[in-house]
Amino acid sequence: MTSRRPRTTRILLVAVLAIAVLVLAGALAVLLPILTHQSAGGSGQQVPETFVSQTTAEGADGRERELSVESADGKPVALDALRPGDELVVRGSGFDAGIGIYVAICAIPQQEGGKPGPCLGGIPEGAQEGTADTSALSSVWITDDWAWQAFATQRYDDPRTGAFTAELTVPEAAVDGLDCRETRCAIATRADHTAARDRVQDMLLPVAFAK
């Protein structure tokens, strides 16, 4: 009587190899766009010298981006006197929905064209595990990328126009080594980790904390 063990072993090996190939293909599908992403250039924004609630700029990619902020009840916000716990609604349009963004209060880069950061809040806590508490976020992660949607805070409102609405809860002025009472900060958008060196989505609205 012929043993069936060798045949069973071969089937198991083929199954394991097939699974390994699928896992590798999935990893490459996620990593390749990150590794091969080419910067689209800068956003073209001149950072406002005063505290304004709206700004626009034409980026190197030809898109006209707009960033604005208001209170949760639609009223103007005193961006020169933020307090921890304030509820802000940040709106944007003209963004490239093919590039995910973080929205947070970040340090304004000292050099023109530099990356905004560090930020108060950073990546939303628990976002990479898909467990972020969306009821009181000090930072928001927006993406339409299929590989990251399950982990991000939300998607773009309208990918065609690059519009989004992000609700932020103002955190403490000093978090993780950044003190916005000593460093000039802004409500900022910037490309997420899949295009970390791309500055085309960078838009800034300067803020200050109430004494």
Side-chain angles (χ1 to χ4, degrees):
M1 184 175 179
T2 304
S3 173
R4 300 183 62 182
R5 181 171 297 176
R7 182 181 178 184
T8 301
T9 301
R10 286 196 298 271
I11 292 174
L12 288 174
L13 286 174
V14 170
V16 169
L17 287 174
I19 293 172
V21 169
L22 289 174
V23 171
L24 180 60
L28 288 175
V30 171
L31 292 175
L32 276 179
I34 298 175
L35 297 175
T36 60
H37 180 81
Q38 298 294 317
S39 174
S43 70
Q45 186 202 22
Q46 295 295 318
V47 181
E49 293 295 330
T50 57
F51 299 100
V52 295
S53 60
Q54 185 268 343
T55 184
T56 59
E58 182 176 343
D61 58 358
R63 289 176 172 271
E64 183 79 18
R65 288 173 173 80
E66 179 176 327
L67 185 69
S68 64
V69 62
E70 59 191 34
S71 67
D73 56 5
K75 296 180 179 180
V77 177
L79 294 182
D80 59 344
L82 293 183
R83 298 180 184 276
D86 284 351
E87 300 289 338
L88 305 178
V89 178
V90 182
R91 303 185 191 278
S93 63
F95 285 73
D96 183 353
I99 303 175
I101 57 172
Y102 298 132
V103 184
I105 295 176
C106 305
I108 297 175
Q110 296 182 355
Q111 296 182 343
E112 184 177 352
K115 180 179 179 179
C119 302
L120 300 177
I123 298 175
E125 184 177 353
Q128 293 183 334
E129 295 78 30
T131 59
D133 178 7
T134 59
S135 63
L137 293 172
S138 59
S139 59
V140 170
W141 178 13
I142 301 171
T143 184
D144 270 25
D145 190 323
W146 65 269
W148 301 103
Q149 286 176 14
F151 306 102
T153 312
Q154 63 192 67
R155 299 178 62 178
Y156 283 88
D157 295 340
D158 183 353
R160 183 181 60 83
T161 61
F164 69 84
T165 304
E167 297 181 1
L168 294 181
T169 299
V170 177
E172 295 294 330
V175 178
D176 296 333
L178 171 63
D179 190 339
C180 286
R181 295 166 300 187
E182 300 178 355
T183 301
R184 192 167 178 239
C185 293
I187 295 171
T189 61
R190 70 181 193 188
D192 67 11
H193 63 281
T194 66
R197 296 182 180 180
D198 202 328
R199 306 272 58 85
V200 76
Q201 302 271 60
D202 292 357
M203 294 287 286
L204 302 165
L205 286 170
V207 300
F209 280 76
K211 296 182 179 179

